[in-house]
Amino acid sequence: MGLSIDLDLFPLIAALLAAISCGLLGNFLVLRRLSLMGDAISHSVLPGLVIAFVLTASRSPLAMFTGALAAGVSTVLLVELVKRLGRVEPGAAMGVVFSVLFALGVLLLEVSDTSGVDLDAECVLHGQLETLVWYGAPQTWGELWQQGSLSAVPQQVWTLLLMLVLAAGFVGAMFKELRIAAFDPALSTTLGFSATGLHLALMVFVAGATVASFEAVGSILVIAMLICPAATARLLTDRLASQLIVSVLVAIASCVLGYIAASAVPAWFGLDSVNAAGSMAVMAGAVLTLAVFASPRHGVIARRWRLHAMGRSIARDDLLASLYRAAEAMTELPPRAHDSVRGSLVREGLIDDATDSLTAAGKAEAQRVIRRHRLWESYLADQVGLAPDHVHETAERLEHLRLAPTGEPPTDPHGKPIPPEPPA
Amino acid sequence: MTPPSTHLPRAQPLSVRPEHSDTSPLSIHAMTVAYHRKPVLWDVDYDAPPNRLIAIVGPNGAGKSTLIKACLGLIPPASGQVEFWGHSYKKARSRIGYVPQRESVDWDFPVSALDVVCMGRYRMLGWCRPVTRAHKAAAMECLDRVGMAPLAKRQISQLSGGQQQRVFLARALAQEADLYFMDEPFAGVDAATERAIVEVLRELRSSGKTVLTVHHDLQTVEQYFDDVILLNMRVVASGPVAEVFTQENLQRTYGGRLTLLAAASEAIARAESGEGLGK
């Protein structure tokens, strides 16, 4: 891997810290269907930055951070206000607020004298990950630990570390409260855990994480990390605690893979490296896409496969049952030469290919299906009270469940014998 | 009992008024609730008798859920007072249980049935304390009481509607409250769940609890409940089922949907939107 300490260490650490904070908090945004909030906050920091710059006439980190945080918190409050007074859905409220605030920021930039100052819409969107170069860094990874100097660590990394500790502390301490407020806000409020209060607290942390992150990594990566890892984890887990862990792992993986893709991969082809934050965001999207298709339970492929398997199982049951019925009535089976499952039943030794009839094993299997069908028919007629000529259609579907009513009626409502359960 | 014609100052507790008693688990006095300034409940006066199963019955839009939410402080009433055993909601909170409508939550949420029931214990745990093993065991017992113990580890999206409703009921049991508000626990459940819920309601009554339940099925009111509140934007009638649940009262509750009050609130809404008063 062609990574070097002086160029790569701090950008990678900064991106990881930002991604983990955002990924962790993003879980609650995704669960509350407020994913757009990250988008809203990260765009509306621009006017906050410009106003802070105009007021203090400096680009000191503290002034910038305060301005951006104030803008982030006002976004949250404005969204609530627009939602209530305008009676619009949350998505519309967020969309209105952030687009207007971002536009306001662009206007303020144009009218105020910020020429010669490194402050523009570009840097808000893309961040300045590549500027976190460690001058005079040790040249090998082994020397890193011997040097032991913390003074070289840039201020952005410390800010992000502090933010991560705060965000993790908040989620860890308030896990149960955040969970109930997201799942059932009404009950949460009646129990004394104000859902509105918890929502606002969460939003302040989202605003903090967004503001702490965007200078180093840019809004695009912040937005991607607030949504993609949580959405991916949502597809892979069905408990909130495991979802949080998986989302953090996905955030880490997206960063590392994205960084390698941005710096190392273009180098193999003799090209210049590309924007690392952008590459990480793309990677987070790619991981989400992968999960959409390949998740074991909720993924498209797994769902398709389960449908396919169910379809085959039903077709098998139907073919075996029709062969059983034909043998029972001693009639010829209507020709179904191209039946999709016949081949596999022949290979499994359930159907004799030459005579087109059931083998001993096939007969036992078919007997189970017929038994379930006729037990369901008599249940529907006797217990549910359906007319005997109405039970077949429903039983035709119920017979495929590996479940049958109890009881031993000798015949079904049509007078056909109910075969005994064959030995396993 | 005639409702008071004058409104007393808000600060005075209900318990000192002759028409309200502090032994009643729930006293509502002159409560009016409005959504977006359009009144949905008018001047509700009600005292719940202790240790009874009480049905809240009325047509759609009668304000049944609103009544519950206003009692629980989820919707601020425009005027009026609510007291529980003579205390404010904040003081009585730990003695009050709530089962919201099943549709009000996202059943795809990543929690198990047991996790949901444990939420009923959060009040006892307090802020920032994780759920302990003892509370989990208590929650498990509540799941068992509604016949759901074998499905405790299931994610809630993998439960049927009736099973989800039973999880909600188990969560209410886990609250160990003395007064319960249940918003349509019988809506869209299977026969087995309906029987399980009725059984739990009766258990609650025999252990001295009071339950107010929003109920839609008029056929079963007499069979399941002791008292009834007939509601249509105001309390049409309330009291023991045998006395109050009459054809005449039902006619007054359900018949003629556009009552004078509904017409008045329409007019208010029109006036609010700037169309002026009168036609």
Side-chain angles (χ1 to χ4, degrees):
Chain A
M1 230 164 44
L3 297 184
S4 61
I5 295 169
D6 50 353
L7 287 178
D8 298 318
L9 182 67
F10 288 139
L12 195 53
I13 288 179
L16 277 172
L17 293 172
I20 296 171
S21 303
C22 293
L24 202 55
L25 294 167
N27 284 290
F28 297 96
L29 293 183
V30 168
L31 285 174
R32 291 195 142 199
R33 298 167 201 263
L34 288 171
S35 309
L36 202 56
M37 195 54 109
D39 211 341
I41 294 173
S42 53
H43 277 83
S44 52
V45 294
L46 184 62
L49 293 177
V50 183
I51 291 170
F53 174 74
V54 170
L55 289 181
T56 63
S58 80
R59 208 182 163 280
S60 79
L62 187 65
M64 293 291 107
F65 189 82
T66 314
L69 190 63
V73 174
S74 7
T75 307
V76 174
L77 298 175
L78 275 174
V79 167
E80 284 298 309
L81 208 64
V82 171
K83 209 166 69 186
R84 282 187 196 170
L85 297 183
R87 293 187 211 168
V88 291
E89 45 117 5
M94 289 184 268
V96 166
V97 169
F98 90 73
S99 50
V100 169
L101 284 182
F102 189 72
L104 179 72
V106 173
L107 278 180
L108 285 173
L109 263 182
E110 286 203 356
V111 297
S112 62
D113 182 27
T114 52
S115 54
V117 182
D118 176 25
L119 188 66
D120 57 55
E122 281 280 288
C123 99
V124 172
L125 287 179
H126 302 139
Q128 304 168 302
L129 208 47
E130 282 80 358
T131 63
L132 295 174
V133 176
W134 188 358
Y135 295 108
Q139 286 308 301
T140 67
W141 294 93
E143 284 172 36
L144 182 62
W145 311 113
Q146 289 151 24
Q147 199 174 48
S149 157
L150 291 176
S151 59
V153 178
Q155 157 264 329
Q156 283 103 321
V157 172
W158 287 122
T159 312
L160 285 166
L161 184 64
L162 177 67
M163 194 57 230
L164 175 59
V165 170
L166 288 175
F170 172 66
V171 171
M174 298 287 216
F175 178 73
K176 120 177 163 292
E177 287 81 4
L178 288 167
R179 178 164 69 178
I180 190 174
F183 173 63
D184 194 342
L187 183 80
S188 180
T189 304
T190 66
L191 290 176
F193 306 107
S194 163
T196 318
L198 282 160
H199 170 66
L200 286 178
L202 175 69
M203 285 305 153
V204 168
F205 274 89
V206 171
T210 305
V211 171
S213 308
F214 86 93
E215 194 184 359
V217 302
S219 312
I220 300 297
L221 184 61
V222 168
I223 298 165
M225 286 305 166
L226 279 170
I227 303 175
C228 292
T232 308
R234 185 102 174 71
L235 287 165
L236 298 176
T237 60
D238 53 13
R239 289 293 182 285
L240 186 52
S242 41
Q243 183 185 316
L244 294 183
I245 294 165
V246 171
S247 68
V248 167
L249 295 178
V250 169
I252 293 172
S254 308
C255 278
V256 174
L257 291 175
Y259 200 85
I260 293 170
S263 57
V265 176
W268 297 341
F269 301 101
L271 300 169
D272 282 342
S273 63
V274 296
N275 180 289
S279 164
M280 290 170 188
V282 169
M283 204 52 81
V287 173
L288 175 59
T289 312
L290 189 68
V292 166
F293 284 100
S295 155
R297 202 155 80 78
H298 304 287
V300 174
I301 295 170
R303 275 208 306 268
R304 280 281 162 80
W305 172 253
R306 279 198 301 270
L307 271 182
H308 176 75
M310 189 173 75
R312 277 189 73 84
S313 152
I314 290 173
R316 273 170 66 105
D317 286 357
D318 285 346
L319 180 58
L320 289 170
S322 61
L323 285 169
Y324 185 95
R325 288 199 182 91
E328 192 180 48
M330 288 189 289
T331 55
E332 286 289 310
L333 188 71
R336 291 172 74 182
H338 297 294
D339 199 296
S340 61
V341 288
R342 189 173 177 279
S344 74
L345 288 173
V346 169
R347 275 193 300 281
E348 285 174 55
L350 298 176
I351 293 179
D352 182 21
D353 197 20
T355 62
D356 201 16
S357 61
L358 294 168
T359 63
K363 188 158 182 291
E365 195 63 34
Q367 197 171 320
R368 284 192 191 96
V369 180
I370 293 288
R371 179 180 159 78
R372 283 198 299 266
H373 180 87
R374 292 181 181 164
L375 279 174
W376 275 117
E377 281 190 334
S378 36
Y379 176 84
L380 289 169
D382 301 343
Q383 308 288 321
V384 183
L386 294 183
D389 56 338
H390 278 71
V391 296
H392 177 77
E393 290 298 312
T394 311
E396 195 60 26
R397 270 175 282 159
L398 292 172
E399 72 184 21
H400 302 298
L401 301 173
R402 299 292 179 261
L403 175 80
T406 51
E408 273 309 325
T411 62
D412 72 6
H414 313 294
K416 295 221 177 101
I418 296 180
E421 179 71 35
Chain B
M1 285 234 300
T2 52
S5 55
T6 54
H7 287 214
L8 295 167
R10 289 191 88 164
Q12 191 173 3
L14 296 182
S15 44
V16 304
R17 291 184 204 164
E19 71 273 16
H20 294 289
S21 78
D22 58 0
T23 57
S24 170
L26 167 71
S27 302
I28 306 171
H29 176 68
M31 186 172 73
T32 295
V33 186
Y35 271 129
H36 300 309
R37 306 193 60 113
K38 182 180 167 183
V40 283
L41 277 179
W42 288 81
D43 203 27
V44 172
D45 258 278
Y46 181 70
D47 275 69
N51 199 8
R52 307 275 275 183
L53 301 181
I54 304 161
I56 305 173
V57 171
N60 285 331
K64 304 184 293 289
S65 296
T66 307
L67 178 66
I68 288 186
K69 286 181 183 157
C71 288
L72 293 168
L74 292 171
I75 306 170
S79 64
Q81 276 170 279
V82 184
E83 284 188 357
F84 304 86
W85 301 279
H87 297 291
S88 69
Y89 180 75
K90 270 187 184 159
K91 277 193 176 166
R93 207 196 290 275
S94 53
R95 296 178 67 187
I96 300 166
Y98 176 39
V99 179
Q101 279 187 27
R102 185 158 55 88
E103 295 81 46
S104 69
V105 306
D106 171 14
W107 288 96
D108 279 332
F109 204 86
V111 284
S112 68
L114 184 62
D115 290 335
V116 172
V117 179
C118 284
M119 290 178 188
R121 314 290 288 186
Y122 283 9
R123 172 85 198 148
M124 303 169 207
L125 285 160
W127 286 93
C128 302
R129 299 262 170 77
V131 182
T132 61
R133 206 170 283 176
H135 285 292
K136 263 192 190 151
M140 199 65 197
E141 241 167 72
C142 296
L143 269 174
D144 196 36
R145 278 172 71 184
V146 298
M148 287 287 294
L151 301 178
K153 297 266 176 230
R154 283 262 181 102
Q155 201 227 326
I156 52 174
S157 66
Q158 297 170 332
L159 302 173
S160 75
Q163 291 168 337
Q164 291 173 346
Q165 190 65 62
R166 281 195 253 176
V167 169
F168 258 19
L169 196 66
R171 184 177 70 177
L173 293 176
Q175 286 186 261
E176 292 180 8
D178 295 314
L179 169 67
Y180 284 102
F181 291 92
M182 302 192 181
D183 204 343
E184 302 216 22
F186 293 104
V189 301
D190 52 286
T193 299
E194 182 150 344
R195 275 197 298 276
I197 298 175
V198 170
E199 209 168 289
V200 168
L201 289 181
R202 291 188 177 149
E203 271 175 42
L204 287 172
R205 178 179 54 194
S206 56
S207 53
K209 322 272 189 189
T210 307
V211 186
L212 277 100
T213 305
V214 173
H215 195 56
H216 250 139
D217 184 10
L218 296 179
Q219 312 289 328
T220 51
V221 169
E222 286 165 300
Q223 196 187 335
Y224 295 166
F225 295 96
D226 309 315
D227 274 42
V228 66
I229 305 172
L230 292 170
L231 194 74
N232 191 352
M233 302 185 71
R234 65 192 175 90
V235 177
V236 176
S238 67
V241 172
E243 291 168 28
V244 171
F245 199 65
T246 61
Q247 199 57 46
E248 194 204 335
N249 278 338
L250 283 172
Q251 195 73 43
R252 282 169 59 208
T253 314
Y254 284 84
R257 280 287 290 112
L258 198 71
T259 60
L260 189 60
L261 283 175
S265 68
E266 284 290 312
I268 291 172
R270 275 203 305 277
E272 289 285 340
S273 61
E275 287 174 37
L277 285 169
K279 297 190 178 170

